[in-house]
Amino acid sequence: MTGVPASAAGGTSSANDAPASAGSGAASGGAPSGAMSGSVSGGVPSGGVSAGSASSDAPGVVESGLPGGPRPARGAKVVAAAVNQASVWNIANFLTMLRLLLVPGFVALMLADGGYDPAMRSFAWAAFAIAMITDLFDGHLARTYDLVTDFGKIADPIADKAIMGAALICLSSLGDLPWWVTVVILGRELGITLLRFLVIRYGVIPASRGGKLKTLTQGIAVGMYVLALTGWLATLRFWVMAAAVVLTVLTGLDYVRQAIVLRRQGIAERAAASEETEA
């Protein structure tokens, strides 16, 4: 064994002990160790491999080396949504809360002194007018200045229904407005709200021009009934309320039609997607 170089003997013994030493033995045969490590990694430099493996474990680091290109690390979308969420304490939500707070004050003014005091009815009309005006501005401000919040999405429709429902019930309880008018308007509002929730899985029913005209007409008509009007103004408010009831019914039927179409389209799209997946 004196004629065998010590390096060869060492290489033989290491090859028998660990399979990984074959790479090092081949490298000692003339190939640089860096080239050998590159061939083992599939042509990717060892530095690139280590960077890629490190980025998959480090939070917030963009992962690379995938066919789809760079993509954000897990949880990045959730973090971005939390950062982009507008604060609950903004002017749009403040107006919505103001509208909710006006409801009990409006009811108290409407029913003060038996509900037939012209001065109290005038104050009640002022509260109702402020509530309707804030309804026009809070949604516009939220969309324009990116102040849309989950709280606003829930509180805004509640405030709308609360002030209108309180006004209609007070008027009917005082005998100024037939109960069937109150039932038709409130039934339509509650029914359409429930319908929106039922079809939300298929899409959102957009607000139409007819619906906006209905809301405006209802506000004017109810406001005229809140005031203690007499003479030709009392006759005029009757016809304005009649127009509001007609618009309420027609727009309600239109929403039902849109909901049916939206549901059919959603079912058809899901069926088509399911067939493509099975194919």
Side-chain angles (χ1 to χ4, degrees):
M1 292 301 290
T2 58
V4 180
S7 61
T12 304
S13 60
S14 62
N16 294 329
D17 294 337
S21 64
S24 62
S28 66
S33 61
M36 190 60 197
S37 62
S39 63
V40 171
S41 61
V44 181
S46 60
V49 174
S50 61
S53 61
S55 65
S56 63
D57 297 330
V61 180
V62 177
E63 298 180 358
S64 59
L66 298 177
R71 63 182 179 85
R74 293 183 295 270
K77 293 183 178 180
V78 177
V79 174
V83 172
N84 294 331
Q85 176 73 357
S87 173
V88 175
W89 302 103
N90 58 63
I91 184 62
N93 288 342
F94 172 77
L95 293 177
T96 301
M97 290 300 299
L98 176 62
R99 195 156 69 254
L100 284 170
L101 293 175
L102 284 173
V103 174
F106 167 81
V107 173
L109 292 171
M110 277 290 295
L111 302 179
D113 295 334
Y116 296 102
D117 186 348
M120 293 294 102
R121 294 284 286 261
S122 298
F123 287 124
W125 176 87
F128 180 80
I130 293 173
M132 298 304 295
I133 292 172
T134 58
D135 182 31
L136 297 176
F137 282 102
D138 60 355
H140 175 73
L141 291 173
R143 291 186 297 269
T144 302
Y145 297 101
D146 196 18
L147 300 176
V148 178
T149 62
D150 293 336
F151 172 81
K153 294 177 182 178
I154 298 174
D156 183 69
I158 292 177
D160 298 341
K161 305 300 185 293
I163 190 65
M164 182 61 68
L168 291 170
I169 293 174
C170 285
L171 290 171
S172 294
S173 63
L174 294 173
D176 294 341
L177 188 68
W179 274 106
W180 69 266
V181 174
T182 297
V183 171
V184 169
I185 294 177
L186 293 184
R188 184 268 189 197
E189 299 298 331
L190 296 176
I192 295 303
T193 301
L194 178 61
L195 186 64
R196 287 177 181 272
F197 281 109
L198 291 177
V199 299
I200 193 68
R201 69 182 70 178
Y202 306 110
V204 178
I205 304 176
S208 62
R209 293 184 178 180
K212 295 178 181 178
L213 180 61
K214 178 268 305 178
T215 301
L216 178 62
T217 308
Q218 280 184 0
I220 295 174
V222 172
M224 295 180 71
Y225 268 87
V226 170
L227 288 172
L229 300 178
T230 58
W232 67 272
L233 288 175
T235 304
L236 177 63
R237 72 181 182 182
F238 169 82
W239 292 108
V240 176
M241 180 60 75
V245 172
V246 171
L247 288 173
T248 298
V249 175
L250 292 179
T251 55
L253 294 175
D254 182 63
Y255 275 118
V256 172
R257 180 191 63 81
Q258 292 185 57
I260 294 174
V261 172
L262 187 63
R263 181 177 181 274
R264 289 177 178 175
Q265 291 178 350
I267 293 176
E269 291 175 357
R270 289 188 176 186
S274 178
E275 290 178 359
E276 292 179 359
T277 304
E278 293 176 357

